[in-house]
Amino acid sequence: MAGHHVVRNVKRPAPEVVQGLRDAGVATVHEAAGRTGLVAPAVRPRQDGAVIAGPAITVSSHPGDNLMIHAAVEMCQEGDVLVVTTTSPSTDGMFGDLLAASLLARGVVGLVTDAGVRDIAALRAMGFPVWARAVSAQGTVKASPGSVNVPVVCGGRLVRPGDVVVADDDGVMCVPARSAEDVLERSRARIAAEEDKRAALSSGVLGLDMYGLREVLTRLGVTYVDDLPEEGS
Ligand SMILES: O=C([O-])CC(=O)C(=O)O
Ligand SMILES: [Mg+2]
């Protein structure tokens, strides 16, 4: 489908599924998704301690131009996460406290962007969390067409509108809408298993024994010696 579009309809996943993935956190969800779906770590948290999850509203924008972010705000609903990408690499500060005020008014829980943000002190003070490739004061214009709610690539990951974006201090995950329930189930199983492991490790059990890693080391030819052998011996 050629051209630029603002797509109105987004199929959003069930709120319980979104909430469950948020509670599980990025690292667990990433493991549960078979170690797929992680947005590149260069798209990193710009505050401490924020944890969000929500359906993605996506923006494909011309670099250095935030016109389509303004168009996207109107498409956002309570609980959504705005995901902004540019059609070629850009670190321009295309998002700041004014746009955040607008998103907060619609109940949006955070921004993930492959480009830059600015007004970072104000964003932190107002409690609007952002995960961004850059912080840059570089200003942008409102002059070029783009699209809202089309599939985009953010930090090397495909993000479709309505996919579940989970973001915390560890980074950003995108869970495809069709596998969100399955990934939640696997996340819960991992959390339960990790409770037992945490208790064992805290009691002094070694990972070497708990995971059967002594055999792995042996198989890989790793040997234990009391002292490093002299060179040449
Ligand atoms: O207005 C802009 O171009 C971006 C910005 O700084 C804001 O949203 O506050
Ligand atoms: Mg500003």
Side-chain angles (χ1 to χ4, degrees), residues 96-154:
D97 73 307
L98 292 178
L99 276 162
S102 195
L103 288 178
L104 273 176
R106 300 191 76 83
V108 172
V109 296
L111 170 85
V112 173
T113 178
D114 221 354
V117 296
R118 61 183 189 175
D119 309 327
I120 193 69
L123 292 175
R124 287 179 185 144
M126 67 203 285
F128 186 82
V130 296
W131 286 257
R133 186 174 288 277
V135 173
S136 169
Q138 177 62 55
T140 56
V141 299
K142 305 177 196 335
S144 316
S147 292
V148 176
N149 287 330
V150 297
V152 296
V153 174
C154 180

Side-chain angles (χ1 to χ4, degrees), residues 13-30 32-33 51-55 162-168 173-177 179-188 191:
E16 316 82 77
V17 175
V18 172
Q19 180 65 38
L21 291 169
R22 179 188 175 281
D23 292 346
V26 168
T28 295
V29 170
H30 174 57
V51 185
I52 64 162
D163 284 352
V164 183
V165 174
V166 187
D168 61 21
M173 259 299 288
C174 175
V175 184
S179 57
E181 273 184 60
D182 180 52
V183 170
L184 175 56
E185 222 169 275
R186 289 170 195 267
S187 296
R188 287 185 170 146
I191 289 166

Side-chain angles (χ1 to χ4, degrees), residues 7-228:
V7 180
R8 288 198 191 87
N9 291 329
V10 173
K11 200 168 173 293
R12 291 169 170 83
E16 316 82 77
V17 175
V18 172
Q19 180 65 38
L21 291 169
R22 179 188 175 281
D23 292 346
V26 168
T28 295
V29 170
H30 174 57
E31 290 288 344
R35 292 189 206 128
T36 63
L38 192 66
V39 170
V43 178
R44 66 179 185 83
R46 298 293 171 172
Q47 63 286 312
D48 286 325
V51 185
I52 64 162
I57 294 298
T58 64
V59 181
S60 172
S61 183
H62 194 278
D65 192 310
N66 65 11
L67 172 64
M68 298 316 295
I69 301 182
H70 286 275
V73 172
E74 190 184 17
M75 298 299 120
C76 289
Q77 295 180 9
E78 183 89 30
D80 287 345
V81 175
L82 191 65
V83 177
V84 173
T85 61
T86 50
T87 50
S88 66
S90 171
T91 55
D92 294 346
M94 60 201 295
F95 182 98
D97 73 307
L98 292 178
L99 276 162
S102 195
L103 288 178
L104 273 176
R106 300 191 76 83
V108 172
V109 296
L111 170 85
V112 173
T113 178
D114 221 354
V117 296
R118 61 183 189 175
D119 309 327
I120 193 69
L123 292 175
R124 287 179 185 144
M126 67 203 285
F128 186 82
V130 296
W131 286 257
R133 186 174 288 277
V135 173
S136 169
Q138 177 62 55
T140 56
V141 299
K142 305 177 196 335
S144 316
S147 292
V148 176
N149 287 330
V150 297
V152 296
V153 174
C154 180
R157 284 289 146 200
L158 176 66
V159 182
R160 296 185 192 82
D163 284 352
V164 183
V165 174
V166 187
D168 61 21
D169 285 340
D170 286 343
V172 181
M173 259 299 288
C174 175
V175 184
R178 65 172 183 285
S179 57
E181 273 184 60
D182 180 52
V183 170
L184 175 56
E185 222 169 275
R186 289 170 195 267
S187 296
R188 287 185 170 146
R190 281 194 71 84
I191 289 166
E194 282 196 357
E195 262 172 42
D196 295 342
K197 286 180 195 164
R198 194 169 293 110
L201 291 167
S202 298
S203 78
V205 173
L206 292 175
L208 278 177
D209 296 313
M210 190 165 73
Y211 299 118
L213 297 180
R214 292 188 194 280
E215 293 79 354
V216 177
L217 290 174
T218 303
R219 178 159 44 80
L220 294 175
V222 178
T223 58
Y224 285 78
V225 293
D226 286 332
D227 299 291
L228 190 61

